[in-house]
């Protein structure tokens, strides 16, 4: 069964009247759900008695020139997708509580003036090209954690830097929430699912594959040898690739904090951001 809350009052009432022994999972989203979001929800449904999913296009994480106004808002279709999922034998009898604030003021009431800013890790990669983006993310996620009080929150590896930023916020502020990162769900051709893929026309969809193919090529180079042996080749390949101005960044870093890898680093992540017209796509591959 699905229950939808659209106001702050309703969600606070649901929090205060729920069974305090129930384990609560939470999936924050901006809606326009696809199989990537649904994987997070499925994982949550497996592990918790109650699962909350929020649908909120958060203005604070969009820059002034970004796509906040045109971001796809498809609540009815989203609810249908969740109902369809709940009709599968694995999930029958399960409840999903949706928090879909009817307007921005339900989350950020007039006069709201607080902000959570995590520091260092928010300044590079996506944070560099989208100033203030991660402050917007952490502020809304902190607010949603306060309203829902989940035990575990589910995030996608697709936004790997975001996962690190949220984990750092939780650590710094001693929040009682566990984070689970779910692997990226892709189309058969490798393109990571994203709500922004629908901005792409057919030829851009083809070109978008460059992002995954490039990350994969680098992953194969490192996988065959080790970072220490592959690094010169990889760095040469990356600097050639970056000559194409469609690339915003492409880099190999340490998984733990996105710092440059040392020769003996085993847990690496290859991160890339690629622009196609006005659409900006990000992706990453982990190497363990
Ligand atoms: P969004 O609605 O784009 O803010 O995404 C909500 C959550 O879904 C975030 O934790 C994303 O990382 C995650 N997500 C988005 N796309 C994918 C994907 N292709 N595979 C797995 N998780 C995803």
């Amino acid at each position: 069964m699905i229950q939808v809350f659209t106001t702050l009052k309703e969600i606070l009432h649901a929090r205060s009247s729920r069974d305090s022994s129930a384990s609560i999972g939470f999936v924050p989203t901006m809606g326009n759900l696809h199989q990537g979001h649904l994987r997070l929800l499925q994982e949550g449904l497996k592990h918790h008695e109650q699962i909350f999913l929020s649908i909120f296009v958060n203005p604070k994480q969009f820059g002034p020139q970004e796509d906040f106004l045109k971001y796809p808002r498809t609540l009815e279709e989203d609810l249908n997708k969740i109902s369809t999922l709940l009709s599968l034998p694995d999930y029958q009898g399960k409840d999903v509580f949706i928090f879909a604030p009817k307007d921005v003021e339900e989350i950020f009431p007039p006069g709201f003036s607080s902000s959570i800013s995590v520091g260092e890790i928010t300044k590079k990669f996506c944070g560099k090209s989208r100033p203030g983006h991660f402050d917007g993310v952490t502020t809304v996620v902190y607010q949603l954690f306060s309203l829902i009080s989940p035990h575990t929150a589910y995030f996608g590896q697709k936004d790997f830097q975001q996962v690190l930023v949220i984990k750092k916020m939780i650590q710094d502020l001693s929040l009682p929430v566990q984070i689970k990162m779910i692997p990226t769900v892709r189309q058969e051709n490798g393109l990571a699912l994203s709500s922004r893929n629908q901005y792409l026309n057919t030829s851009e969809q083809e070109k978008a594959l460059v992002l995954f193919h490039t990350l994969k090529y680098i992953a194969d180079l490192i996988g065959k040898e080790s970072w220490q042996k592959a690094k010169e080749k990889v760095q040469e390949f990356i600097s050639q690739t970056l000559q194409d101005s469609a690339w915003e960044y492409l880099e190999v870093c340490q998984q733990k904090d996105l710092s440059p890898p040392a020769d003996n680093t085993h847990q690496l992540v290859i991160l890339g951001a690629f622009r196609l017209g006005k659409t900006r796509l990000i992706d990453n591959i982990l190497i363990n």
Side-chain angles (χ1 to χ4, degrees), residues 28-31 34 36-37 40 71 155-156 158-159 162 183-185 193:
T29 82
M30 297 205 296
H34 51 62
H37 299 112
L40 271 57
Y71 197 86
F155 289 87
K158 156 108 185 342
D159 300 279
Q162 170 171 279
T184 305
V185 178
L193 297 189

Side-chain angles (χ1 to χ4, degrees), residues 41-285:
L41 180 59
Q42 283 171 292
E43 209 46 41
L45 282 164
K46 265 196 245 162
H47 294 104
H48 301 279
E49 281 142 336
Q50 289 189 1
I51 184 105
F52 285 76
L53 181 141
S54 63
I55 295 181
F56 178 61
V57 185
N58 169 29
K60 290 190 188 288
Q61 70 187 70
F62 288 79
Q65 308 301 329
E66 293 182 0
D67 54 343
F68 173 67
L69 290 174
K70 86 166 193 194
Y71 197 86
R73 289 152 172 92
T74 52
L75 182 59
E76 210 170 300
E77 287 160 37
D78 293 347
L79 298 180
N80 287 337
K81 285 179 188 165
I82 296 172
S83 294
T84 307
L85 181 74
L86 290 181
S87 67
L88 298 176
D90 282 354
Y91 308 114
Q92 268 175 22
K94 291 267 186 180
D95 295 324
V96 175
F97 301 98
I98 310 287
F99 182 34
K102 63 179 171 41
D103 48 41
V104 170
E105 284 74 27
E106 296 296 331
I107 296 278
F108 300 121
F112 185 100
S113 61
S114 301
S115 172
I116 305 275
S117 184
V118 168
E120 176 80 19
I121 185 130
T122 67
K123 302 287 186 284
K124 40 189 149 183
F125 301 114
C126 288
K128 199 166 174 185
S129 54
R130 304 182 73 189
H133 166 69
F134 285 117
D135 291 359
V137 170
T138 42
T139 302
V140 80
V141 169
Y142 185 92
Q143 176 77 324
L144 291 166
F145 284 177
S146 313
L147 298 174
I148 291 167
S149 300
H151 298 103
T152 306
Y154 292 82
F155 289 87
Q157 182 202 317
K158 156 108 185 342
D159 300 279
F160 186 74
Q161 187 177 8
Q162 170 171 279
V163 176
L164 293 185
V165 170
I166 304 278
K167 283 187 171 168
K168 188 78 176 80
M169 170 179 81
I170 286 177
Q171 185 194 359
D172 287 353
L173 302 177
S174 308
L175 303 181
V177 187
Q178 214 198 333
I179 297 301
K180 279 205 187 154
M181 183 174 80
I182 305 301
T184 305
V185 178
R186 300 179 180 281
Q187 293 182 10
E188 241 169 71
N189 60 13
L191 183 66
L193 297 189
S194 162
S195 302
R196 290 188 167 103
N197 289 353
Q198 62 196 266
Y199 298 153
L200 305 172
N201 60 33
T202 319
S203 94
E204 288 172 331
Q205 287 246 0
E206 288 280 308
K207 285 189 204 143
L209 287 175
V210 170
L211 174 55
F212 176 65
H213 288 163
T214 304
L215 300 178
K216 184 80 178 55
Y217 178 77
I218 298 172
D220 290 343
L221 281 180
I222 301 170
K224 267 192 212 127
E225 306 193 282
S226 77
W227 171 246
Q228 192 176 4
K229 293 212 176 113
K231 83 176 170 190
E232 267 178 41
K233 233 181 290 172
V234 170
Q235 280 163 349
E236 170 66 24
F237 173 74
I238 288 180
S239 59
Q240 273 174 23
T241 305
L242 287 173
Q243 308 263 320
D244 177 351
S245 61
W247 286 93
E248 189 183 284
Y249 62 77
L250 175 64
E251 210 159 309
V252 181
C253 324
Q254 302 208 34
Q255 275 178 35
K256 62 177 165 77
D257 56 5
L258 306 187
S259 58
D263 280 353
N264 59 355
T265 310
H266 294 301
Q267 298 206 307
L268 297 169
V269 55
I270 311 160
L271 298 161
F274 191 72
R275 283 185 191 278
L276 281 159
K278 284 189 177 156
T279 309
R280 178 179 175 279
L281 301 176
I282 57 170
D283 200 354
N284 66 82
I285 292 183

